[in-house]
Amino acid sequence: MDFKEIKTLITSKKVFCSVFGHKMITSRNITNHLKEYRCTVCQMELTNDEEGDLTYLTPELKEVNEALVHFYQKKLLVKQH
Protein backbone atom coordinates (compact mmCIF):
# COMPACT_ATOMS: atom_id res chain seq x y z
CA MET A 1 0.00 0.00 0.00
CA ASP A 2 1.48 3.34 -0.97
CA PHE A 3 1.01 6.67 0.79
CA LYS A 4 -1.69 7.87 -1.63
CA GLU A 5 -3.90 4.82 -0.96
CA ILE A 6 -3.49 5.25 2.80
CA LYS A 7 -4.38 8.95 2.54
CA THR A 8 -7.51 8.13 0.51
CA LEU A 9 -8.54 5.52 3.06
CA ILE A 10 -8.05 7.88 6.00
CA THR A 11 -10.02 10.68 4.36
CA SER A 12 -12.88 8.33 3.61
CA LYS A 13 -16.07 9.54 5.27
CA LYS A 14 -16.91 6.24 6.92
CA VAL A 15 -13.44 5.86 8.37
CA PHE A 16 -13.59 9.42 9.69
CA CYS A 17 -16.86 8.73 11.50
CA SER A 18 -15.67 5.40 12.86
CA VAL A 19 -12.55 7.04 14.31
CA PHE A 20 -13.86 10.41 15.48
CA GLY A 21 -17.59 9.70 15.83
CA HIS A 22 -20.58 11.00 13.94
CA LYS A 23 -21.56 14.67 13.80
CA MET A 24 -25.31 14.32 14.16
CA ILE A 25 -27.82 17.08 13.48
CA THR A 26 -31.60 16.96 13.78
CA SER A 27 -32.90 16.62 10.26
CA ARG A 28 -36.61 16.39 11.11
CA ASN A 29 -38.87 16.77 14.15
CA ILE A 30 -41.56 14.11 14.09
CA THR A 31 -43.20 15.02 17.41
CA ASN A 32 -41.94 16.69 20.57
CA HIS A 33 -40.34 13.37 21.57
CA LEU A 34 -39.35 11.78 18.24
CA LYS A 35 -36.75 13.15 15.86
CA GLU A 36 -34.77 12.03 12.84
CA TYR A 37 -31.02 12.65 12.83
CA ARG A 38 -28.42 12.73 10.04
CA CYS A 39 -24.63 12.64 10.20
CA THR A 40 -23.21 15.65 8.36
CA VAL A 41 -20.14 13.65 7.30
CA CYS A 42 -21.34 10.22 6.13
CA GLN A 43 -25.10 10.97 5.73
CA MET A 44 -26.13 8.07 8.00
CA GLU A 45 -29.71 8.50 9.29
CA LEU A 46 -30.96 7.61 12.76
CA THR A 47 -34.26 7.94 14.59
CA ASN A 48 -35.70 7.23 18.02
CA ASP A 49 -37.18 3.79 18.67
CA GLU A 50 -39.99 2.79 21.05
CA GLU A 51 -37.70 2.99 24.07
CA GLY A 52 -36.17 6.35 23.16
CA ASP A 53 -32.84 4.94 21.99
CA LEU A 54 -31.30 5.82 18.63
CA THR A 55 -31.62 3.25 15.86
CA TYR A 56 -30.90 3.15 12.13
CA LEU A 57 -33.63 4.72 10.00
CA THR A 58 -34.99 1.87 7.89
CA PRO A 59 -37.64 2.27 5.16
CA GLU A 60 -40.18 0.75 7.57
CA LEU A 61 -39.34 3.30 10.26
CA LYS A 62 -39.54 6.10 7.68
CA GLU A 63 -43.13 5.05 6.92
CA VAL A 64 -43.97 4.89 10.63
CA ASN A 65 -42.49 8.35 11.19
CA GLU A 66 -44.42 9.72 8.22
CA ALA A 67 -47.68 8.37 9.66
CA LEU A 68 -46.83 9.84 13.06
CA VAL A 69 -46.24 13.24 11.48
CA HIS A 70 -49.72 13.19 9.93
CA PHE A 71 -51.38 12.09 13.18
CA TYR A 72 -49.47 14.69 15.18
CA GLN A 73 -50.38 17.49 12.76
CA LYS A 74 -54.07 16.49 12.89
CA LYS A 75 -53.91 16.46 16.67
CA LEU A 76 -52.48 19.98 16.71
CA LEU A 77 -55.16 21.24 14.29
CA VAL A 78 -57.96 19.77 16.40
CA LYS A 79 -56.41 21.24 19.54
CA GLN A 80 -56.34 24.74 17.99
CA HIS A 81 -60.08 24.75 17.15
Side-chain angles (χ1 to χ4, degrees):
M1 224 181 207
D2 65 345
F3 180 72
K4 189 174 184 179
E5 290 176 6
I6 294 172
K7 185 178 177 183
T8 304
L9 180 65
I10 290 174
T11 58
S12 172
K13 294 177 182 181
K14 291 183 180 182
V15 172
F16 181 85
C17 286
S18 65
V19 173
F20 298 108
H22 295 284
K23 296 181 189 255
M24 304 304 280
I25 60 167
T26 303
S27 60
R28 185 174 175 195
N29 290 328
I30 307 300
T31 65
N32 291 339
H33 299 41
L34 293 174
K35 295 177 177 27
E36 289 181 0
Y37 304 95
R38 176 176 290 154
C39 177
T40 58
V41 178
C42 68
Q43 305 302 319
M44 182 181 72
E45 294 180 318
L46 300 171
T47 189
N48 301 95
D49 62 5
E50 309 86 36
E51 299 169 358
D53 299 326
L54 291 178
T55 187
Y56 294 107
L57 187 60
T58 62
E60 181 181 322
L61 286 175
K62 280 186 181 186
E63 290 178 18
V64 170
N65 285 350
E66 192 64 36
L68 285 172
V69 165
H70 292 299
F71 287 131
Y72 189 69
Q73 289 174 349
K74 285 181 183 180
K75 175 184 172 185
L76 291 178
L77 286 174
V78 169
K79 201 178 225 186
Q80 288 178 354
H81 295 292

